[in-house]
Amino acid sequence: MKALHKTLLAALLGSAAFTAAAQEMRTSYFMETAKFRHQLNPAYISDQRYVSMPLLGNFNVGSVGNFGARTFIYDIDPAQNNGRRYGTFLHPDVSSGQFFSTLGSDDVQGGVYLNMNLISVGFKAWQGNNIIDVNLRSNTDFKLPNQLFRFAKESGANSSYNLSDLGMKSQSYLEVALGHSHAIDDHFVVGAKAKLLFGLAYANLKVKQLDLTLDDNKWEVMGQAEGAVAFQNTHFRMDSKGRLDDLEDFKGGMTGFGVAFDLGATYKVHGMENLTLSAALNDMGGINHSQAQNLKTKDNAKWTFSGFRQAYVASDKSGSQELGHEFDQMGEDLKDMLNLYDTGRKGHGQGLATTFNIGAEYTLPVYDKLSFGLLHSHRINDIYSWNSTMLSARVRPIRLVEVGLSTAFTSTGTQFGGMLTLNARGFHFFVAADRFVGRLSKQGIPLNSLNSNVAFGIGFPLSAEAHRARK
């Protein structure tokens, strides 16, 4: 297990393990056979009795970002590098102009996600539809200011730099949920879900402001940064300077506990029964990580920083360990720049990233197997907040098959997705993507954009479909 500063840079490379928080398949929102769209709106709990295949009911893994591997890894003339072809943006053969043109003016931001269903059971009771859902959730978000990379590359071309809104947040937990949806009449359906949350790992780093000023070939640093880390019952040891270093011997357990709630509703418009409106508010709650160690910079302190070392490693492979070591070294330098110390205080409360979904679906009167939908999502998540507006179409030409296509305009770019479900008697299968994977390196790292994901699942319906009739 790497320390916090290493995790941050690993996330940047897209090569970190997915560190178990919420990512749902938005393309599924308007698909009537999608068994897990209740994770977007609890009013959509399936009206079939249902059990998922353990561990394979819903496996959704993906990443988002406004960059790709080509932003930070470049082709280098092998004749100038002992026959090696690739190097990082710090390589002297990569000019500042070339790197800054590729980097652009936006901050670097993104995330990696995992949503893994361990088991789900759907049943009818209490005059409605119900779901018991057990999931492993993962969400890692990061934001690195544009100026950080300009500072690393230029190595003092300017005498001062200001860094703000630099951060990384990762939260891993087990979620046990009980959901219920209830039809009030032929037009209204309401749903709610209560969740127990068991923390597994947590890391949060936030730099509110950091000012760097060049003085006698040293950088004088002043600012404010804070963070917290927890990994089950395992503590982090400190280095010789009293700063976060690495994990002690592993001890299993929970970092803490929490609760959260989802609320949702759908409304088939009176007089326009082909139009259905919907809204949901998900993940209202949080976890108290009682085992977390808290970190911060010393109050009113100034310290010196020697800068990012311009040593570089070239490689034959764009995802090699040598290139990984280069970014790991940058992480070590970043640790010196932030200068975080353990405060000695334990425990840290952290809210989930609450998401608001609002949708509208119109079913064609002349062919009610085809509908079009509009879904807007807003995730409230501090400096990592995110928006998406999705247009979709779904068709179910025969009872066995349903297909959906989507395009979304998001905070990290335009995305295209699709979903296919197969619904045989006693067997259900789906495969989907909100963001089709673009071109990859040989190591599986997205080259041009970090926006990619894939989901699939297997389940076993225990009763015939009884979907609410479309009018």
Side-chain angles (χ1 to χ4, degrees):
M1 177 70 181
K2 292 182 181 293
L4 179 63
H5 67 283
K6 295 183 181 180
T7 305
L8 178 62
L9 269 297
L12 170 64
L13 280 173
S15 59
F18 293 102
T19 52
Q23 181 68 7
E24 298 80 25
M25 186 56 56
R26 293 187 308 281
T27 302
S28 71
Y29 190 85
F30 298 108
M31 296 186 65
E32 62 183 9
T33 60
K35 302 303 182 187
F36 286 89
R37 63 177 180 160
H38 62 80
Q39 294 185 346
L40 290 153
N41 187 332
Y44 283 135
I45 293 173
S46 175
D47 50 17
Q48 277 188 297
R49 291 189 297 119
Y50 177 86
V51 61
S52 68
M53 177 175 281
L55 305 182
L56 293 177
N58 177 35
F59 187 89
N60 182 352
V61 64
S63 58
V64 295
N66 60 353
F67 66 95
R70 283 179 171 168
T71 308
F72 301 103
I73 299 175
Y74 292 80
D75 287 334
I76 305 296
D77 183 1
Q80 305 297 322
N81 292 281
N82 298 317
R84 294 178 173 180
R85 180 179 173 187
Y86 296 102
T88 71
F89 69 97
L90 294 176
H91 196 287
D93 279 9
V94 179
S95 69
S96 296
Q98 180 184 5
F99 172 56
F100 295 158
S101 175
T102 305
L103 179 68
S105 59
D106 294 335
D107 292 339
V108 172
Q109 56 184 327
V112 290
Y113 307 92
L114 171 68
N115 179 357
M116 180 179 179
N117 177 248
L118 304 182
I119 189 70
S120 286
V121 178
F123 61 97
K124 288 185 175 293
W126 309 302
Q127 299 181 332
N129 304 314
N130 307 276
I131 189 78
I132 296 174
D133 212 18
V134 182
N135 304 292
L136 179 63
R137 294 280 201 161
S138 170
N139 177 33
T140 296
D141 293 292
F142 55 89
K143 185 174 183 180
L144 304 174
N146 188 279
Q147 285 293 307
L148 173 66
F149 297 99
R150 292 178 179 270
F151 170 64
K153 180 62 178 174
E154 290 176 327
S155 187
N158 296 317
S159 61
S160 64
Y161 292 86
N162 174 266
L163 306 179
S164 60
D165 286 343
L166 183 158
M168 185 275 289
K169 181 168 69 173
S170 179
Q171 188 156 275
S172 309
Y173 59 92
L174 185 70
E175 171 191 271
V176 180
L178 173 63
H180 174 79
S181 70
H182 189 89
I184 297 176
D185 55 26
D186 290 338
H187 293 268
F188 282 98
V189 179
V190 295
K193 193 183 292 182
K195 308 174 183 179
L196 293 178
L197 311 175
F198 303 88
L200 299 174
Y202 175 72
N204 192 2
L205 165 69
K206 185 173 181 181
V207 176
K208 296 181 180 179
Q209 184 173 342
L210 208 65
D211 295 314
L212 296 96
T213 305
L214 185 62
D215 183 20
D216 294 331
N217 296 319
K218 288 281 188 180
W219 291 95
E220 186 178 79
V221 186
M222 181 175 64
Q224 186 179 6
E226 59 186 17
V229 291
F231 183 70
Q232 300 195 35
N233 275 330
T234 307
H235 290 173
F236 286 81
R237 61 173 176 261
M238 301 297 114
D239 63 17
S240 59
K241 298 180 181 180
R243 301 178 305 185
L244 186 73
D245 185 27
D246 212 337
L247 282 174
E248 297 176 353
D249 293 338
F250 173 76
K251 295 179 182 178
M254 301 291 178
T255 64
F257 302 92
V259 295
F261 300 91
D262 297 349
L263 296 174
T266 68
Y267 168 56
K268 194 179 295 290
V269 179
H270 282 79
M272 296 181 62
E273 278 73 12
N274 292 92
L275 178 64
T276 301
L277 305 179
S278 60
L281 196 58
N282 300 325
D283 288 329
M284 296 178 290
I287 301 175
N288 179 28
H289 297 279
S290 59
Q291 298 300 313
Q293 296 170 254
N294 288 275
L295 314 166
K296 66 178 299 184
T297 54
K298 292 185 177 180
D299 293 337
N300 302 315
K302 292 183 179 180
W303 60 95
T304 60
F305 173 55
S306 59
F308 289 98
R309 280 162 276 189
Q310 295 298 305
Y312 64 91
V313 175
S315 173
D316 299 331
K317 301 177 181 179
S318 62
S320 74
Q321 291 182 349
E322 290 177 322
L323 286 171
H325 175 76
E326 176 83 0
F327 281 92
D328 199 44
Q329 181 60 61
M330 186 177 176
E332 291 288 344
D333 294 340
L334 186 60
K335 173 184 174 182
D336 289 337
M337 186 178 73
L338 295 179
N339 213 33
L340 290 168
Y341 292 82
D342 190 345
T343 67
R345 182 173 61 88
K346 274 199 172 184
H348 190 88
Q350 179 62 48
L352 301 186
T354 300
T355 303
F356 177 63
N357 293 313
I358 183 169
E361 180 184 17
Y362 183 74
T363 303
L364 290 188
V366 295
Y367 185 60
D368 64 3
K369 295 179 171 114
L370 174 64
S371 69
F372 299 90
L374 174 66
L375 174 67
H376 179 74
S377 302
H378 176 63
R379 182 158 293 168
I380 305 168
N381 194 20
D382 196 24
I383 63 174
Y384 318 105
S385 293
W386 171 88
N387 289 282
S388 168
T389 299
M390 181 190 76
L391 301 172
S392 71
R394 68 102 220 168
V395 63
R396 192 179 184 187
I398 58 176
R399 193 175 186 84
L400 180 67
V401 176
E402 186 177 19
V403 177
L405 294 174
S406 69
T407 182
F409 307 94
T410 78
S411 301
T412 55
T414 302
Q415 302 166 4
F416 300 93
M419 184 171 188
L420 169 69
T421 67
L422 301 177
N423 309 281
R425 183 181 296 274
F427 179 79
H428 174 84
F429 171 79
F430 78 89
V431 61
D434 277 337
R435 305 175 294 277
F436 290 130
V437 178
R439 189 177 177 187
L440 303 176
S441 71
K442 293 180 179 179
Q443 292 72 31
I445 302 173
L447 290 174
N448 299 314
S449 172
L450 202 64
N451 293 321
S452 60
N453 77 330
V454 64
F456 63 88
I458 299 171
F460 308 100
L462 304 176
S463 64
E465 287 181 282
H467 291 288
R468 302 172 185 102
R470 296 177 181 268
K471 295 185 178 180

